């Protein structure tokens, strides 16, 4: 490194300024150690050793060396003192800073304490306020609670009153319900009692009727029971019998048809023969009449001639009427009258409804049974039927299959009547069976001039063959009914 | 024996017929319903049966009617049931008229209080106080029964002809 003169001068100038400053500082604040030596600090002591090296080497004297050493020591001491001072200053500064910091901390602590105190005060105030508020709130709440309690008490009172009222109403309602139930029960009991009374009356009536019927039919009961048993026993055999009867009926019908056909043929032949004979008879009668008329005319002419001749001498003669002709005309008129009456009667019988009346009727469609009970009366244009009971048995198409009349059965038609304890009509067999008993046997009666009676234990009518079968018959007929003693005419009364 | 099984048992039938408990129950219920009538419907009409094509086969009309849901009874007054002969026509062949009636929907049985008349074809049935049960296909007329018909003749060659 090379130094120029100008640089050296500048450096020295700086050094001088520094020394002057240090000297001023030292003069201003002298230390105890350096108080007597301030003026002894040389420039060389303050110079950098390196700068010392810049000095022009010279041969130092001992004095100088000592001085330099002293200066060096002084400088060292000054440096140390300066350093100590600086350290002290630093410590002082630090202490001051610490003090300041402590002061600041104290202040801060004081402020903090004040703040804390203030906060505490504020907190206390707030707490007090809070407590006041809480107290107020508690008071309010207590007031509210008191009010609520009062309201609850009032509500409870009200509720109690309402409950009491409700209880009273409920009690009243229950009482009303009980009353209504009791009333209902009473009504039902009355209704039941009425129904029971009605049923009892009906039962009594029924019992009375049954008793009456029983008394009436007491003698008939055994026979009816026997007949019922017989009927029930015969039900099983009825089927086979029905088939046999059906076959027999068919045979009978066939035979009857053949007989009828033969009879019809014979009748037609007889009618034709009778017609031919009648025709011949009429022709003969006409011829005879013409001859008679001619003879009469001739006789009349002769008589007229004789009358005229003898008119002046003899009285007038009147010829008799022709008896045969007039009688024939009367007979024809009589026949026509009877036919007209018959036709009129037939015409009168057409179209009237049959009426069945009874006190009670049961219709069981499932079983196909109709029961007419008590005072049964059937009013048909052909007959009238009375009975205590009438069963009608229908088939699947609601057509009559069987009819059973029970108890005091009576059938009438104009002058004819029948009575029995039980009558059964089976349509399939075209059969009517009248059952009687010892006390009340089956009975047929015809009034009028030909009054007659047939009584039997059982009377069966075969409608197809017009046959009647009577078991244990007793016949009562007017005198002279048994022409020839065979009794054939008697049954015609019941067949016609 | 098969014939005996299928034969009509008159004693059993009469025993069943004498059971009037259902009829008595309905008669009591009728009086009860009549006492509870409050606001009956008027001029009620609805079909009872229909033909396969959907047209009305029979129709019921009532001047007044009320239903009792708690008991299932239906009460009606001045009832008329008309049954039509052919589908889609109003040609009536059967006509039932009843004064007062109660029907139990549960048992499908009923009681007619007062007079009732049914006319079908050439025949008619009248009566007073009628119990009927549809499941049992049973009708009981308690009094004043009268049946008119043209088909009651036993046979042209009847007993006393």
């Amino acid at each position: 490194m090379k130094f120029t003169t100008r640089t050296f001068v500048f450096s020295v100038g700086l050094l001088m300024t520094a020394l002057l400053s240090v000297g001023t500082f030292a003069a201003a604040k002298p230390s105890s150690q350096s108080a007597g030596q301030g003026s002894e600090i040389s420039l060389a002591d303050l110079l950098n050793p390196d700068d010392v090296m810049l000095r022009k080497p010279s041969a130092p004297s001992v004095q100088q060396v000592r001085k330099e050493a002293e200066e060096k020591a002084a400088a060292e001491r000054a440096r140390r003192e300066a350093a100590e001072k600086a350290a002290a200053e630093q410590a002082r500064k630090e202490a001051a800073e610490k003090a300041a910091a402590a002061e600041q901390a104290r202040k801060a602590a004081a402020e903090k304490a004040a703040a804390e105190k203030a906060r505490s005060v504020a907190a206390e105030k707030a707490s007090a306020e809070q407590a006041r508020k809480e107290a107020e709130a508690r008071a309010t709440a207590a007031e509210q609670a008191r009010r609520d309690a009062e309201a609850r008490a009032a509500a409870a009172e009200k509720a109690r009153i309402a409950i009491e009222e409700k209880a009273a109403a409920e009690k009243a309602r229950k009482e009303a319900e009980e009353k209504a139930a009791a009333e209902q029960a009473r009504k039902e009991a009355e209704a039941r009692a009425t129904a029971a009374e009605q049923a009892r009356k009906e039962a009594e009536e029924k019992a009375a009727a049954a008793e009456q019927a029983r008394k009436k039919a007491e003698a008939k009961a055994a026979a009816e029971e026997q007949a019922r048993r017989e009927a029930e026993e015969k039900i099983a055999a009825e089927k086979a019998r029905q088939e046999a009867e059906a076959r027999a009926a068919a045979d009978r019908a066939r035979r009857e048809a053949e007989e009828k056909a033969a009879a019809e043929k014979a009748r037609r032949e007889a009618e034709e023969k009778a017609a031919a004979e009648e025709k011949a008879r009429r022709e003969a009668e006409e011829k005879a009449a013409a001859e008679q008329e001619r003879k009469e005319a001739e006789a009349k002419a002769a008589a007229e001639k004789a009358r005229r001749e003898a008119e002046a001498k003899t009285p007038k003669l009147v010829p008799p009427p022709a008896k045969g002709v007039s009688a024939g005309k009367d007979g024809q008129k009589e026949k026509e009258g009877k036919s007209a009456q018959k036709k009129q009667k037939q015409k009168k019988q057409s179209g009237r409804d049959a009426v069945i009346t009874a006190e009670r009727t049961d219709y069981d469609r499932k079983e196909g049974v109709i029961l007419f009970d008590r005072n049964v009366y059937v009013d048909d244009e052909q007959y009238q039927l009375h009975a205590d009971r009438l069963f009608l048995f229908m088939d699947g198409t609601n057509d009559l299959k069987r009819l059973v009349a029970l108890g005091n059965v009576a059938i009438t038609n104009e002058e004819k009547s029948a009575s029995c304890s039980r009558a059964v009509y089976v349509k399939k067999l075209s059969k009517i069976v009248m059952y009687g008993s010892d006390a009340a046997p089956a009975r047929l009666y015809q009034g009028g001039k030909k009054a007659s009676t047939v009584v039997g234990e059982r009377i069966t009518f075969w409608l197809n063959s017009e046959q009647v079968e009577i078991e244990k018959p007793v016949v009562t007929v007017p005198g002279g009914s048994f022409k020839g003693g065979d009794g054939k005419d008697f049954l015609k009364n019941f067949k016609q | 024996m098969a014939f005996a099984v299928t034969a009509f048992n008159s004693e059993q039938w009469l025993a069943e017929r004498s059971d009037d408990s259902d009829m008595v129950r309905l008669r009591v219920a009728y009086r009860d319903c009549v006492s509870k009538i409050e606001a009956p419907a008027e001029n009620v009409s609805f079909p009872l049966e229909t033909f396969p094509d959907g047209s009305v086969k029979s129709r019921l009309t009532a001047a007044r009617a009320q239903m009792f849901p708690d008991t299932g009874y239906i009460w009606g007054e001045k009832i008329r049931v008309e049954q039509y002969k052919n589908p889609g026509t109003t040609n009536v062949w059967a006509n039932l008229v009843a004064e007062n009636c109660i029907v139990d929907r549960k048992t499908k049985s009923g009681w007619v209080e007062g007079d009732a008349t049914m006319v079908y074809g050439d025949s008619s049935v009248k009566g007073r106080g009628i119990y009927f049960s549809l499941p049992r296909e049973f009708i009981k007329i308690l009094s004043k029964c009268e049946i008119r018909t043209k088909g009651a003749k036993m046979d042209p060659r009847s007993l006393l002809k």
Side-chain angles (χ1 to χ4, degrees):
Chain A
M1 181 177 293
K2 293 179 179 178
F3 294 95
T4 62
T5 307
R6 195 175 290 171
T7 304
F8 179 73
V9 171
F10 180 72
S11 299
V12 171
L14 282 176
L15 182 60
M16 288 300 287
T17 304
L19 286 174
L20 286 173
S21 299
V22 171
T24 305
F25 181 73
K29 290 189 176 183
S31 66
S32 58
Q33 194 174 5
S34 59
Q37 299 174 354
S39 58
E40 294 180 351
I41 298 171
S42 65
L43 184 60
D45 294 332
L46 296 175
L47 291 175
N48 194 328
D50 295 335
D51 294 338
V52 175
M53 295 303 288
L54 295 174
R55 294 170 188 170
K56 196 183 272 183
S58 60
S61 62
V62 173
Q63 189 80 21
Q64 193 177 357
V65 171
R66 192 181 52 86
K67 193 178 178 183
E68 287 176 357
E70 285 176 357
E71 289 174 356
K72 197 174 179 181
E76 184 65 21
R77 280 196 303 272
R79 193 187 57 82
R80 287 179 184 170
E81 286 174 3
E84 287 175 357
K85 281 181 181 179
E89 186 64 19
Q90 184 65 27
R92 191 188 58 78
K93 284 181 180 175
E94 288 176 359
E97 286 175 358
K98 282 181 180 175
E103 184 64 20
Q104 193 173 357
R106 190 188 59 76
K107 284 180 181 175
E111 288 175 357
K112 192 175 179 183
E116 182 66 24
K117 190 177 181 181
R119 190 187 60 76
S120 176
V121 170
E124 285 176 357
K125 282 184 180 176
S127 176
E129 183 67 17
Q130 181 68 23
R132 188 186 60 74
K133 286 182 180 174
E134 286 178 0
E136 285 180 359
R138 279 197 297 275
T140 307
E143 181 67 18
Q144 184 65 31
R146 189 184 60 76
R147 287 177 186 168
D148 291 345
E150 286 179 359
R152 279 197 297 275
E157 181 66 17
K158 196 174 179 182
R160 189 185 60 76
I161 292 169
I163 288 168
E164 286 180 0
E165 289 175 350
K166 193 174 179 183
E170 181 69 16
K171 189 178 178 183
R173 189 184 63 76
K174 281 181 180 174
E175 287 176 359
E177 282 182 357
E178 287 173 357
K179 196 175 178 182
E183 183 67 16
Q184 180 66 24
R186 188 186 62 76
K187 284 180 180 175
E188 289 179 358
E190 284 182 1
R192 278 196 295 274
T194 306
E197 181 66 18
Q198 181 69 19
R200 190 186 61 76
K201 284 180 181 175
E202 290 178 356
E204 283 180 0
E205 289 174 0
K206 196 186 286 182
E211 182 65 19
Q212 190 177 359
R214 190 186 62 77
K215 285 179 181 176
K216 280 183 180 177
E218 193 172 16
K220 300 176 189 175
E224 283 184 8
E225 182 64 20
Q226 187 178 356
R228 188 184 64 78
R229 285 177 185 167
E230 287 176 2
E232 287 180 352
E233 288 171 359
K234 285 178 181 177
I235 285 173
E238 188 71 12
K239 194 175 179 181
R241 187 180 166 185
Q242 283 174 2
E243 292 175 357
E245 286 175 352
R247 283 196 295 274
D251 291 341
R252 276 199 300 271
R254 185 178 54 76
R255 284 198 299 272
E256 286 169 9
E258 289 174 358
E259 289 172 358
K260 278 184 181 176
E264 183 69 15
K265 189 176 177 182
R267 188 183 61 77
R268 284 178 185 167
E269 288 175 358
E271 283 178 357
E272 287 173 359
K273 190 176 178 181
E277 288 177 357
E278 181 68 19
K279 189 178 178 181
R281 188 183 62 76
R282 282 180 184 170
E283 287 175 357
E285 283 179 357
E286 285 173 359
K287 282 182 181 177
E291 184 67 20
Q292 182 69 24
E293 284 176 0
R294 190 182 59 77
K295 286 179 179 177
E296 284 177 358
E298 288 176 357
K300 193 175 179 181
E304 182 67 20
K305 187 178 178 182
R307 186 186 62 79
R308 284 175 184 170
E309 288 175 354
E311 191 172 12
K313 299 176 182 177
T314 59
K316 188 186 276 184
L317 293 175
V318 179
K323 290 181 180 176
V325 174
S326 62
K329 284 180 181 175
D330 290 343
Q332 187 70 19
K333 282 181 181 175
E334 189 178 350
K335 283 183 180 178
E336 286 175 357
K338 283 185 178 177
S339 177
Q341 280 181 354
K342 196 173 180 181
K343 284 180 181 176
Q344 194 174 357
K345 192 176 178 182
Q346 285 177 351
K347 194 174 181 180
K348 194 191 284 183
Q349 283 185 349
S350 61
R352 187 166 75 81
D353 289 348
V355 181
I356 305 171
T357 55
E359 289 186 11
R360 182 168 171 154
T361 298
D362 289 10
Y363 174 40
D364 188 343
R365 188 172 179 273
K366 196 180 282 183
E367 294 285 351
V369 179
I370 304 175
L371 166 62
F372 298 94
D373 197 8
R374 282 182 254 159
N375 296 329
V376 183
Y377 178 54
V378 181
D379 185 12
D380 188 76
E381 64 180 352
Q382 292 181 349
Y383 63 94
Q384 288 80 42
L385 182 146
H386 286 272
D388 293 339
R389 270 183 180 175
L390 178 65
F391 282 94
L392 267 65
F393 297 90
M394 322 296 281
D395 62 10
T397 58
N398 268 354
D399 287 334
L400 178 66
K401 187 168 67 177
R402 194 156 62 99
L403 185 150
V404 179
L406 295 174
N408 300 314
V409 181
I411 308 170
T412 58
N413 179 15
E414 296 178 350
E415 293 180 344
K416 300 165 188 168
S417 65
S419 62
C420 58
S421 60
R422 188 159 66 100
V424 178
Y425 166 66
V426 182
K427 186 178 181 184
K428 186 178 177 182
L429 302 175
S430 296
K431 184 180 77 171
I432 297 171
V433 184
M434 295 172 61
Y435 296 92
S437 61
D438 294 337
R443 181 187 300 271
L444 291 174
Y445 172 78
Q446 175 161 356
K449 294 178 181 177
K450 298 178 180 179
S452 56
T453 306
V454 177
V455 177
E457 191 175 291
R458 186 166 72 177
I459 302 174
T460 305
F461 295 85
W462 302 94
L463 299 176
N464 282 332
S465 59
E466 298 184 2
Q467 291 181 343
V468 181
E469 180 183 346
I470 305 168
E471 291 183 12
K472 299 181 181 177
V474 176
V475 181
T476 305
V477 295
S481 295
F482 294 94
K483 294 176 183 176
D486 58 359
K488 286 181 180 176
D489 290 344
F490 139 76
L491 286 175
K492 287 182 180 177
N493 294 337
F494 302 100
K495 290 181 181 179
Q496 289 174 353
Chain B
M1 292 306 289
F3 181 75
V5 170
T6 57
F8 176 72
N9 189 334
S10 61
E11 289 183 359
Q12 182 183 352
W13 189 84
L14 288 170
E16 290 174 356
R17 171 183 161 270
S18 63
D19 181 12
D20 292 339
S21 57
D22 194 38
M23 183 184 71
V24 172
R25 178 184 67 85
L26 287 168
R27 293 181 74 171
V28 173
Y30 172 82
R31 294 190 188 93
D32 186 36
C33 288
V34 169
S35 66
K36 290 181 180 175
I37 293 169
E38 291 177 351
E42 295 186 351
N43 298 323
V44 180
S45 177
F46 55 87
L48 288 177
E49 297 173 288
T50 56
F51 286 109
D53 66 350
S55 58
V56 177
K57 185 177 182 182
S58 61
R59 177 179 293 280
L60 182 146
T61 57
R64 295 199 307 158
Q66 181 166 338
M67 186 175 171
F68 297 88
D70 54 339
T71 56
Y73 293 125
I74 301 173
W75 169 85
E77 184 183 60
K78 292 181 181 176
I79 295 163
R80 175 183 293 272
V81 177
E82 292 180 339
Q83 189 158 14
Y84 304 116
K85 196 169 186 177
N86 299 312
T89 65
T90 55
N91 187 9
V92 177
W93 81 274
N95 192 3
L96 169 66
V97 178
E99 286 184 357
N100 294 287
C101 179
I102 183 175
V103 177
D104 187 350
R105 296 177 69 189
K106 294 174 186 171
T107 59
K108 293 183 179 175
S109 57
W111 167 255
V112 175
E113 181 85 7
D115 292 332
T117 304
M118 182 174 182
V119 179
Y120 56 98
D122 295 331
S123 302
S124 67
V125 179
K126 286 183 185 176
R128 185 173 184 81
I130 298 174
Y131 163 77
F132 61 91
S133 171
L134 297 182
R136 294 168 61 194
E137 299 182 43
F138 190 82
I139 297 173
K140 184 176 288 190
I141 303 173
L142 288 197
S143 64
K144 295 183 179 178
C145 172
E146 179 184 301
I147 294 178
R148 286 180 177 271
T149 181
K150 291 186 184 298
K153 298 174 185 63
M154 290 189 293
D155 194 281
R157 301 152 293 182
S158 67
L159 176 63
L160 298 173
K161 184 180 177 185

